[in-house]
Amino acid sequence: MNTPSIWTHLRHVLGGYPNTAAEWAVRVQCPDVTRQELLVLDQWLKADPRNAQAYAEINKISYLGLQLREHRAELPRLEGYRRLRATERESGRLVPARLSRLTPSLAGGCALLLLTVMVGWFWYASNRYSVGHGEQQRVTLSDGSSVIVNTDSEVKVLYSDSSRVVALPRGEAFFEVAKNPERPFIVRTDDLEVRAIGTRFSVRRTEGGTQVVVTEGRVRVSRIDTVRTPPVDLIANMQLNVAPEVPIPAPIAIDAAAATSWTGGMVQFDDEPLLDVLREVNRYTLKPFVIADPALQSVHLSGRFRIGDMESVTFALTNRFDIAVTEEQKEIRVHRR
């Protein structure tokens, strides 16, 4: 009689095909994966772009799992493993109930990879902060530094004994850095590195590049791509706008408190074009403002508004200018009376 494969057991306890990136990453590494399962995986990846992104990220962790097959003694040294063990002591089980029904004979092979993926994903998820549209999140890091993650943004914390690195894959974040000259604090985007020792600053990624604003202290901005350009230092009340694949320009003087007013739940404008004002306001609203009359783009607006408060923006537009605002199903149209 044939011995049931590990995936037969896994399919039984999981209740069908995998439905998460971690489960799929384990399955495709098993020798008995079938063509039908690969077709189902292909459909799952195409069903939602987030599935493909999560699968790519978890596969990086799966690679570590393959390496650990030859170095099982290294598992207890992983921070994620130790945290899972702590969870096990508190809750009485290491893995979710539906996986805990696996027999002891499944401890090797794919089971080790599954455990390693869980360890890596536990660490990854606990050090990744993603914020949805119109939301914000304040995070206190292990060294005492703090991060405010702004709307539609994501940060990944990658600390080591010698450095404190935070990746900003998208969006904007404000950093208040605890001083530690022995462990430099570094924020990285795809092409820039912002290095600080003890300071307060924000970094924002846009389609046009990266923006850095310093409210206190000093930071050094360097390119980390193929463009060769000297680093640039910024001090308080300076802003730097860096476009992709060009040398770093000179910083400009700004009101940093106004530029980072979003950290206090406000957005502030000083005689700025209406197009820019509404573009910023729309970052926090569920229903966007749309300028229906191009002539209105030349209107300039000053004011201070609470994030997400569409009524105050509407009141300012209709009472200061000859402007009408019409709310429709999917947008708020701004036009002349």
Side-chain angles (χ1 to χ4, degrees):
M1 182 176 68
N2 293 332
T3 302
S5 71
I6 182 173
W7 195 251
T8 300
H9 290 277
L10 284 172
R11 171 112 29 101
H12 173 70
V13 297
L14 293 175
Y17 290 110
N19 57 15
T20 69
E23 292 170 0
W24 273 119
V26 173
R27 178 56 187 145
V28 298
Q29 297 294 342
C30 296
D32 62 337
V33 62
T34 66
R35 175 176 175 79
Q36 177 61 30
E37 288 167 333
L38 293 178
L39 290 174
V40 174
L41 169 60
D42 184 65
Q43 294 172 357
W44 182 81
L45 291 171
K46 293 177 179 178
D48 190 327
R50 293 172 294 185
N51 291 346
Q53 180 181 359
Y55 184 70
E57 292 172 340
I58 203 69
N59 265 309
K60 297 176 184 178
I61 302 168
S62 300
Y63 176 77
L64 173 62
L66 292 174
Q67 301 303 305
L68 283 175
R69 285 180 175 179
E70 305 300 325
H71 305 278
R72 300 190 186 196
E74 297 297 315
L75 266 175
R77 298 178 57 186
L78 296 176
E79 174 66 19
Y81 181 85
R82 293 196 294 269
R83 295 176 70 171
L84 276 173
R85 280 299 184 186
T87 302
E88 179 189 27
R89 288 191 293 270
E90 295 174 2
S91 63
R93 64 166 63 101
L94 176 60
V95 297
R98 63 178 184 160
L99 295 181
S100 64
R101 297 194 294 271
L102 289 171
T103 63
S105 63
L106 302 180
C110 289
L112 173 63
L113 179 57
L114 176 61
L115 174 62
T116 306
V117 168
M118 290 180 62
V119 168
W121 186 253
F122 186 91
W123 176 89
Y124 175 80
S126 64
N127 290 274
R128 172 179 175 269
Y129 304 95
S130 182
V131 176
H133 184 79
E135 300 175 349
Q136 293 180 335
Q137 182 180 4
R138 178 184 288 272
V139 180
T140 300
L141 305 181
S142 59
D143 66 323
S145 299
S146 64
V147 181
I148 304 177
V149 188
N150 203 8
T151 176
D152 288 321
S153 302
E154 177 184 352
V155 299
K156 299 177 183 178
V157 181
L158 310 168
Y159 274 19
S160 69
D161 292 339
S162 59
S163 66
R164 299 171 290 171
V165 177
V166 178
L168 184 68
R170 60 185 175 89
E172 181 177 25
F174 181 87
F175 305 90
E176 187 168 357
V177 182
K179 293 183 179 180
N180 187 344
E182 303 301 320
R183 294 177 69 204
F185 190 97
I186 301 167
V187 178
R188 286 184 180 148
T189 64
D190 287 342
D191 52 1
L192 287 184
E193 177 179 284
V194 183
R195 180 180 294 253
I197 296 176
T199 187
R200 302 171 75 240
F201 65 100
S202 68
V203 181
R204 177 180 177 182
R205 297 188 61 175
T206 66
E207 294 182 356
T210 301
Q211 179 188 90
V212 182
V213 175
V214 178
T215 62
E216 180 182 304
R218 179 187 298 268
V219 304
R220 171 164 291 185
V221 180
S222 307
R223 295 208 72 102
I224 54 176
D225 54 11
T226 58
V227 179
R228 295 184 178 181
T229 180
V232 173
D233 288 356
L234 281 75
I235 60 175
N237 289 310
M238 281 190 174
Q239 176 178 298
L240 188 63
N241 299 298
V242 185
E245 301 181 355
V246 298
I248 300 176
I252 60 175
I254 63 160
D255 181 351
T260 59
S261 59
W262 60 267
T263 62
M266 307 292 291
V267 287
Q268 184 172 330
F269 308 102
D270 183 15
D271 194 32
E272 297 186 33
L274 182 60
L275 182 63
D276 294 342
V277 170
L278 295 184
R279 184 184 292 120
E280 183 68 16
V281 168
N282 286 343
R283 297 178 66 196
Y284 307 95
T285 59
L286 296 177
K287 188 177 294 186
F289 286 89
V290 176
I291 298 178
D293 185 348
L296 294 179
Q297 295 182 8
S298 60
V299 172
H300 282 62
L301 179 66
S302 298
R304 183 178 174 87
F305 307 98
R306 183 162 298 281
I307 285 176
D309 184 1
M310 295 184 294
E311 289 77 13
S312 294
V313 176
T314 299
F315 180 82
L317 291 174
T318 57
N319 283 269
R320 299 182 193 176
F321 307 98
D322 186 25
I323 291 177
V325 174
T326 304
E327 183 170 352
E328 299 184 354
Q329 184 176 0
K330 294 184 179 180
E331 61 187 26
I332 301 174
R333 296 177 63 83
V334 180
H335 52 89
R336 292 192 181 276
R337 295 184 191 276

